[in-house]
Amino acid sequence: NLNNSGTVDRSPAGKSDERFSRLSLLKNELGKMASVYGIPGFKYLNDLNPDRFTPQVAESLSVNLKEINDLFSEISNSANERRDQFYNLNSVKLKKMEKDYYNFKLEEIVTKYYEPNKILIYKNSLIQNTDPVYLDPYKKGFLNFRTHFYAPSKYIFGIKTDTFVFNISLVLLSTILLYLALYYNLLGKVVSLGQKFRLRK
């Protein structure tokens, strides 16, 4: 049972709900990881509810979580190695760029550097609450453009697009539409139609 702050309700009356919330949280996150990262899905995903959860499912879940942890650890180690190699090969240029362009206050804003709550629980899902500038949004729907603040990319009709391109395109499209509205006096025509409709009524 999640309270308004997004944390698990640990009151005695909410014990059964807490168990259900944890299973729902695992189900949501395992499904999300399979769809977003392309890793093999948990075969007993539909059994992650109080009525169907058994010791066998728990054992399989434990094995699956260990495999996922090992996989992400391997990916993380590989990424760290590539980063270190890149830095070693370009250390002089990187230090010069840091000296010329680095802004600590800007980094603090776009990474939420001092945020104490790194992960939040909301609606039985884990929400990353730090480094938003490095977090790509999830694809939610064909017409859903909404993302978190400082997202590096957005979706336009299901197509992943850089945020800069998205924002510039939106500004250009708005400018064109406003220009056409002024050129053809669309606003005046709408007002005239509204007045005629009122007079007839």
Side-chain angles (χ1 to χ4, degrees):
N1 184 29
L2 302 181
N3 57 32
N4 292 333
S5 64
T7 58
V8 177
D9 183 2
R10 300 184 182 279
S11 60
K15 283 186 177 179
S16 61
D17 289 335
E18 177 183 343
R19 179 187 173 212
F20 176 80
S21 295
R22 289 182 175 180
L23 289 174
S24 297
L25 176 65
L26 285 166
K27 182 177 180 179
N28 290 338
E29 291 304 311
L30 287 171
K32 188 189 301 181
M33 283 190 288
S35 62
V36 174
Y37 301 110
I39 62 176
F42 181 53
K43 61 181 179 180
Y44 299 117
L45 197 64
N46 293 328
D47 294 328
L48 295 180
N49 65 68
D51 297 326
R52 302 176 63 176
F53 194 71
T54 63
Q56 290 77 15
V57 174
E59 178 64 25
S60 181
L61 176 63
S62 178
V63 173
N64 184 260
L65 291 175
K66 185 180 183 304
E67 291 175 349
I68 292 174
N69 181 68
D70 293 341
L71 175 63
F72 282 127
S73 294
E74 183 179 341
I75 294 173
S76 177
N77 292 334
S78 177
N80 288 333
E81 289 179 5
R82 292 199 305 270
R83 181 197 61 190
D84 293 340
Q85 290 175 0
F86 179 82
Y87 184 84
N88 291 332
L89 292 172
N90 302 276
S91 58
V92 177
K93 292 181 180 179
L94 290 172
K95 287 179 180 177
K96 186 178 185 305
M97 290 180 65
E98 182 179 11
K99 181 180 179 181
D100 293 340
Y101 304 109
Y102 178 74
N103 186 318
F104 178 78
K105 192 62 181 178
L106 180 61
E107 181 192 16
E108 181 183 340
I109 293 172
V110 299
T111 63
K112 302 178 75 172
Y113 190 78
Y114 293 110
E115 173 60 50
N117 301 312
K118 307 299 183 184
I119 300 291
L120 301 178
I121 299 176
Y122 178 69
K123 292 185 178 180
N124 289 330
S125 291
L126 297 178
I127 307 298
Q128 180 178 319
N129 195 36
T130 186
D131 293 328
V133 73
Y134 301 120
L135 177 63
D136 284 317
Y138 299 118
K139 187 176 180 180
K140 298 178 181 178
F142 186 74
L143 296 176
N144 194 330
F145 302 139
R146 295 185 62 185
T147 60
H148 59 277
F149 209 32
Y150 302 124
S153 61
K154 295 183 179 182
Y155 283 95
I156 302 178
F157 303 117
I159 301 173
K160 187 177 179 181
T161 309
D162 183 81
T163 296
F164 179 77
V165 174
F166 178 91
N167 292 342
I168 294 298
S169 300
L170 191 61
V171 170
L172 289 175
L173 180 62
S174 301
T175 303
I176 293 171
L177 291 176
L178 288 172
Y179 175 81
L180 293 175
L182 290 172
Y183 184 82
Y184 292 104
N185 194 25
L186 296 179
L187 183 59
K189 292 179 180 179
V190 170
V191 173
S192 298
L193 286 174
Q195 290 177 345
K196 289 180 181 179
F197 180 77
R198 287 181 181 179
L199 290 174
R200 289 178 180 178
K201 198 172 182 180

